[in-house]
Amino acid sequence: MGSPLRRVWMGFAALGLMASGGCAHAQAPAAKVPAGTQAAKDCPDFLPAQTRCFAGQDANGAYYWIVIPKAWNGALVVHTHGGPRLKAPKPDDALEDLERFSVTVKEGFAWAGSNYRRAGYGVRSAAEDSDTLRQIFWDQFGRPKRTILHGQSWGGNVAAKTAELYGQRADGKPVYDGVILTSGVLGGGTRSYDFRADLRAVYQYYCQNHPRPDEPAYPLWQGQPVGSTLTNKQLDERLEACTGVNLPKAQRTAVQQRNLDNILAVVRIPERTLDSHLGWATFTFADMVNKRLDGHNPFGNVGVVYAGSDDDAALNKGVARFAADPEGVRRLAFDADLSGKLTVPTLTMHAIDDPTAFVELEQVFHDTVAKAGAGDLLVQSFTDEHEHSKLATPEYAALLRAMSAWIEQGEKPSPASLAASCQQAVAIYGEACHFRIDYQVRPLAERSYPR
């Protein structure tokens, strides 16, 4: 349930209460608002009419939003956002995900989302902040008839870790009733990012500009050294100079095209997200290693045999090699790896052509759960979309409806039943469904070189 300190509401000057009024058959009770709080903005226009919104800051400094629709169905969805975001959190950051997943509120669920207490990596601290927000909601509005976790992208790792750490009370009774993980980074910290370490090594072999020859050398697994002033714009300029990735193909030089072709083929990443992955392998790695792991290296490529270039022998002979530090691996595993010990129904959804969190991470999660003996509590679904940050709206509605039925009636869904439910939601949300009920996810080793 959390310590009393975690349940304290802090930052009263920043805590906002926004009410647009109205009655409903399942409307939430009035919040127990601490003295000294201030009124703030109305609910955003993208939410249903007469929705009520609350914003605040918890005891650890994490900003959050709580939203309750007029026709509340009595259930709460605690949302864990993706990222990790490297900019300092701001009070209204949660609105981006609230808009993206406003289908949750339109389906009648209350929604609560934390920005997390700090910028950058940290799965356990984000999980604690998410469960703190769950407790805040319970304290203010009473325990809902069911509480569901929804994690998106990196937030999938956070939500799964939240369920592991805070999913049961001391007496063994459940805190959360279900978990939904969409586009999730579900390989944990020690499996999900190896390909980005490979990207740093392979990119540097071909481009030699990150760092440049006239800049101080540093180990590539570090992302960048402490004190570096390199910006995203400057990194994009270096990538463009080497590969011409943002130029039409006809405008690239022969050297640029060769570099680009080799990098993409060897690291097995899509062209359209090369710049993003290189950015994460630079700035997120720097945050992770320098600020969270005390400089210990969790990544290694010793023994990896790279393939797919126009000269694999030369590449493997000349590419930078580095060995993982056992302490770095241990710390990252403690923070972000998953046990697979599910205790409540868990649904996942992933686009087969997700260019950011590769669909093969679902295979890692499946095997981890199976090894823990919890396979009966997991249903995985896949779509033939080419997106990461948001899939089709009716698909999320189908997940929410299926989870409710699984919790309340014991009706375990299947990919086929999710597809059928999605079609029913199309009439409301006007977007097509893309479930592939016959898809079998491939091993991660086919996408990311095994260590």
Side-chain angles (χ1 to χ4, degrees), residues 47-48 67 69 72-73 75-79 97-112 148 150 180 393 396-397 400 429:
L47 294 176
V67 174
W72 184 33
N73 64 14
L76 166 68
V77 171
V78 177
H79 175 78
D97 269 28
L98 175 57
E99 181 172 16
R100 186 178 296 149
F101 303 107
S102 60
V103 61
T104 307
V105 183
K106 294 171 183 176
E107 286 288 305
F109 294 83
W111 186 95
I148 297 169
H150 170 222
I180 298 174
T393 301
Y396 295 98
L400 290 165
Y429 298 106

Side-chain angles (χ1 to χ4, degrees), residues 121 154 157 185 188-189 191-197 285 288 299:
Y121 201 82
W154 180 67
N157 195 169
V185 181
R191 299 286 300 278
S192 297
Y193 308 113
D194 285 336
F195 78 96
R196 288 184 184 152
F285 273 22
M288 179 190 294
F299 305 115

